[in-house]
């Protein structure tokens, strides 16, 4: 996505040529009328609507893969028979203090999943209208009350029952709600452990080396 302040309407021709020469498919989003960091982090969720693909992996611009990451796709694809299907169709990673760090994640795009995402946003907007600043309830978060559910989120170094971690009110809380409690189909990497969650079942943990 180009900045609204940019005088360009496309990538520079040489940049586009180099990217396409490496087999990169470029999809340019429309220029926004206004620009803010909050909008940029929510743009990540457009990956859920990229239905031309079976899986989509998102990485922040400061993430630098040091190896081929195709194995994430393979380990979550029942049709890929060379490896066992160990991961769910959505994948998130916990960091030291957060149960979900949206610097990197993988989703399975679908119209239904994107509709779920939009529903979460609309519900949160209506709830926010009833709250005082900063318009976010740390008990109910994006729709799940940990303490009423006798539940808690788990990061690498912390466990808690409130939506109070970094960016819980923003993209990192929204993705956690979407993948774990709305879609109920996610693998969560927490240091050297992987939790697999699916609808109707309690937490299942698979120890990974």
């Amino acid at each position: 996505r180009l900045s609204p302040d940019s005088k360009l309407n496309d990538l520079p021709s040489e940049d586009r040529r180099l990217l396409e020469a490496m087999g990169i498919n470029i999809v340019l989003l429309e220029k926004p009328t206004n620009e803010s960091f909050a909008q940029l982090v929510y743009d990540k969720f457009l990956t859920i609507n990229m239905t031309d693909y079976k899986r989509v992996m998102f990485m922040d611009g400061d993430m630098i893969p040091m190896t081929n990451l195709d194995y994430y796709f393979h380990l979550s694809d029942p049709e890929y028979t060379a490896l066992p299907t160990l991961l769910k169709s959505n994948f998130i990673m916990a960091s030291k203090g957060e149960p979900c760090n949206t610097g990197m994640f993988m989703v399975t795009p679908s119209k239904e999943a994107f509709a779920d995402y939009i529903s979460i946003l609309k519900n949160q907007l209506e709830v926010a209208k009833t709250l005082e600043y900063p318009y976010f309830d740390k008990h109910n978060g994006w729709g799940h009350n940990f303490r009423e559910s006798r539940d808690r989120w788990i990061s690498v170094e912390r466990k808690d029952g409130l939506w109070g971690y970094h960016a819980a009110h923003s993209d990192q809380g929204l993705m956690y709600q979407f993948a774990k409690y709305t879609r109920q189909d996610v693998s969560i990497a927490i240091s050297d452990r992987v939790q697999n969650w699916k609808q109707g079942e309690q937490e299942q943990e698979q120890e990974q080396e």
Side-chain angles (χ1 to χ4, degrees), residues 111-148:
K111 296 300 181 184
E112 295 78 12
F114 195 69
D116 281 343
Y117 158 69
I118 295 297
S119 178
I120 297 170
L121 283 181
K122 288 182 176 179
N123 180 71
Q124 187 69 1
L125 177 60
E126 293 304 312
V127 171
K129 293 177 182 178
T130 69
L131 303 174
E132 296 181 355
Y133 181 84
Y135 316 116
F136 186 75
D137 183 347
K138 290 185 178 181
H139 292 276
N140 294 314
W142 290 89
H144 179 80
N145 190 304
F146 293 104
R147 293 181 177 178
E148 288 181 359

Side-chain angles (χ1 to χ4, degrees), residues 152 154 159 188 190 193-197 202-208:
R152 61 184 176 178
I154 302 173
K159 299 177 182 179
I188 307 174
I190 308 172
R193 296 179 298 138
V194 174
Q195 292 182 347
N196 281 332
W197 294 80
Q202 297 294 319
E203 172 185 336
Q204 295 180 0
E205 295 190 9
Q206 294 183 353
E207 299 295 336
Q208 301 291 334

